[in-house]
Amino acid sequence: MSTSACCTPPKTPADFRAASAVFKALSNPNRLLIVDALGSGERCVADLTALVGLDMSTVSNHLAVLRNVGILKDERRGTQVFYSLRKPCLLNLFCCLDEFHGVEG
Amino acid sequence: MSTSACCTPPKTPADFRAASAVFKALSNPNRLLIVDALGSGERCVADLTALVGLDMSTVSNHLAVLRNVGILKDERRGTQVFYSLRKPCLLNLFCCLDEFHGVEG
DNA sequence: TTGAAACTTTGCCAATTTTCAAAATACAAA
DNA sequence: TTTGTATTTTGAAAATTGGCAAAGTTTCAA
């Protein structure tokens, strides 16, 4: 087994860079909207574009950002490309945020 | 009780903006280093400046970013200002990240 | 009240991000 | 093969970010 237990914070500069890269990918409201939508299943780019209400090229860029840090995976079927969460446990981050925002003091 | 259970993802545009603001604050490796250090207790600005190795004015700005989204609180004692985590449960985000990075497939 | 120490604020610059529009690519159907 | 639909890539502009240095503020001590 690894030397680090659950909840051990990242330690090396590389760890901090890797962690901040994921947070950076999630630091945009439109990308967060996309991740939230994909929590209930895969969607094609056209659907996601309608959801966020921006230019399709912009949405495509946001999807690339999320895919490049390992949050999303994509699969082409015909002319469409379907995006989905690579690991659904990513949504647990939202639980932590809810807890963070909810608890007083 | 509230209408939303634990782990319900954020839904309104304001929710997405609030959530992305927290992720944005955590999207910089130096700020992450600071948060990690504060996980084991409060530190003054001078100590944190030595830790991250940047100009004190830069560190002060990073601390303001983290404080403005509610991650940190500050307390002046004499000429020093001590920063600490406002809610330690924030560190749970790192657990989720570890899980995200660790699980295969 | 003068001075020093600890921070914060401001001004500035380089790098990055966010967005749209236009051009390019991939695929399927006619 | 030509056409049309879906998506990505490229180019460019506006906004934001991250950093340092200098100036300003706060507090305490001499």
Side-chain angles (χ1 to χ4, degrees):
Chain A
M1 83 180 234
S2 124
T3 56
S4 61
C6 169
C7 296
T8 296
K11 287 297 172 199
T12 74
D15 288 335
F16 289 116
R17 265 181 271 115
S20 66
V22 174
F23 287 133
K24 175 165 293 188
L26 297 173
S27 72
N28 176 283
N30 293 313
R31 284 197 294 269
L32 230 38
L33 181 56
I34 290 170
V35 170
D36 178 67
L38 296 179
S40 56
E42 66 173 19
R43 303 283 172 88
C44 70
V45 179
D47 281 0
L48 292 170
T49 296
L51 176 72
V52 306
L54 297 175
D55 194 276
M56 180 178 280
S57 65
T58 301
V59 172
S60 182
N61 278 320
H62 282 315
L63 291 167
V65 168
L66 291 166
R67 189 188 49 213
N68 289 340
V69 297
I71 292 176
L72 302 186
K73 62 183 173 187
D74 63 336
E75 181 186 333
R76 175 176 282 273
R77 293 207 287 277
T79 62
Q80 293 178 301
V81 176
F82 289 84
Y83 281 85
S84 57
L85 295 181
R86 181 173 290 279
K87 301 177 185 177
C89 75
L90 181 95
L91 295 175
N92 290 341
L93 285 173
F94 294 141
C95 306
C96 296
L97 259 201
D98 288 344
E99 183 188 3
F100 174 74
H101 278 129
V103 178
E104 287 308 313
Chain B
M1 85 181 233
S2 127
T3 56
S4 60
C6 169
C7 296
T8 296
K11 287 299 174 195
T12 74
D15 287 336
F16 289 116
R17 264 181 271 116
S20 65
V22 174
F23 286 132
K24 175 165 295 188
L26 297 173
S27 72
N28 176 283
N30 292 312
R31 285 197 292 268
L32 231 39
L33 180 57
I34 290 170
V35 169
D36 177 67
L38 296 180
S40 55
E42 66 174 17
R43 303 283 171 90
C44 70
V45 180
D47 281 0
L48 292 169
T49 296
L51 177 72
V52 306
L54 297 175
D55 194 276
M56 181 179 280
S57 66
T58 301
V59 173
S60 182
N61 278 317
H62 281 317
L63 291 168
V65 168
L66 291 166
R67 188 187 51 212
N68 289 340
V69 296
I71 292 175
L72 302 187
K73 62 183 173 188
D74 63 335
E75 181 187 334
R76 174 177 282 274
R77 292 206 289 276
T79 62
Q80 293 179 301
V81 177
F82 289 84
Y83 281 85
S84 56
L85 296 180
R86 182 174 289 280
K87 302 177 184 176
C89 74
L90 180 95
L91 295 175
N92 290 341
L93 285 173
F94 295 138
C95 306
C96 296
L97 260 201
D98 288 343
E99 182 188 3
F100 173 74
H101 278 129
V103 177
E104 287 307 313

